[in-house]
Amino acid sequence: LHWKHHPHVEEKEHCNVAIEPFGYLSLVSDGLHNFIDGIVIGVSFMVSIPVGIASSVAIMLHEIPQEIGDFGLLLQAGFTRRRALLYNFISALFAILGTLLAIFLGQSATNFTQITLPLAAGGFIYIAGSDLVPELHKITDPRKSAIQFFAIIVGIGLMMLLLVVE
């Protein structure tokens, strides 16, 4: 992405540092991402409690490393540690807004859950197919491949366990 810019300036340890536009772009896209995660959580709980719990755990597990990466990206863009943490936290709050919207619309719109949940599932499948699987193919060490295969089997087993519990 090439973006001509006039970066904002922020005080950073007694000197002026230009904030790169990709930092702001990251905040906006992460806020939207978190908002959609919130919608997925809200819709999942409307389907059933076990589906809601499974979705919440899956989202939480992928959010932890992502938010750490976002923090590093904001630092690289020129934000101070304090502002990077604050803005990252504000971005995370959009998940709550998404959850509330899903619950509010889900009760008033009869097809909301039937439309939103497959779209969310499709998004997760797309991410797995386009980003994760190609990365798995880069690993040639049989030991690491075995660990990855075991992790996939554990994930499938957990999903099957949720079906039994539900």
Side-chain angles (χ1 to χ4, degrees):
L1 178 65
H2 178 70
W3 186 354
K4 289 186 179 187
H5 66 283
H6 301 283
H8 292 62
V9 176
E10 179 178 312
E11 290 293 321
K12 185 174 182 177
E13 299 175 19
H14 310 295
C15 64
N16 288 334
V17 174
I19 303 300
E20 295 293 331
F22 72 82
Y24 295 110
L25 180 62
S26 173
L27 286 170
V28 171
S29 62
D30 190 39
L32 179 61
H33 172 105
N34 290 330
F35 182 76
I36 292 169
D37 283 348
I39 290 174
V40 170
I41 290 170
V43 168
S44 298
F45 273 104
M46 286 187 276
V47 171
S48 73
I49 301 253
V51 171
I53 291 171
S55 296
S56 298
V57 169
I59 288 170
M60 180 181 61
L61 290 176
H62 97 259
E63 280 300 315
I64 292 169
Q66 182 203 332
E67 294 303 331
I68 292 169
D70 288 343
F71 174 71
L73 192 138
L74 293 175
L75 292 177
Q76 183 68 28
F79 288 97
T80 62
R81 282 187 169 91
R82 185 178 187 149
R83 285 198 187 238
L85 284 173
L86 174 66
Y87 292 160
N88 217 13
F89 176 72
I90 291 169
S91 168
L93 293 177
F94 279 86
I96 295 170
L97 293 175
T99 302
L100 294 174
L101 178 71
I103 291 170
F104 174 74
L105 288 180
Q107 293 173 351
S108 62
T110 56
N111 293 329
F112 185 72
T113 303
Q114 289 81 10
I115 293 169
T116 310
L117 198 56
L119 286 174
F124 285 129
I125 292 169
Y126 172 78
I127 290 168
S130 64
D131 291 339
L132 302 179
V133 171
E135 287 299 314
L136 292 176
H137 285 274
K138 292 179 182 177
I139 304 297
T140 57
D141 180 15
R143 192 168 158 203
K144 289 182 180 179
S145 293
I147 292 169
Q148 291 170 342
F149 181 72
F150 177 73
I152 291 169
I153 296 301
V154 169
I156 292 170
L158 288 172
M159 292 298 115
M160 293 175 71
L161 181 63
L162 283 172
L163 285 174
V164 172
V165 172
E166 190 177 326

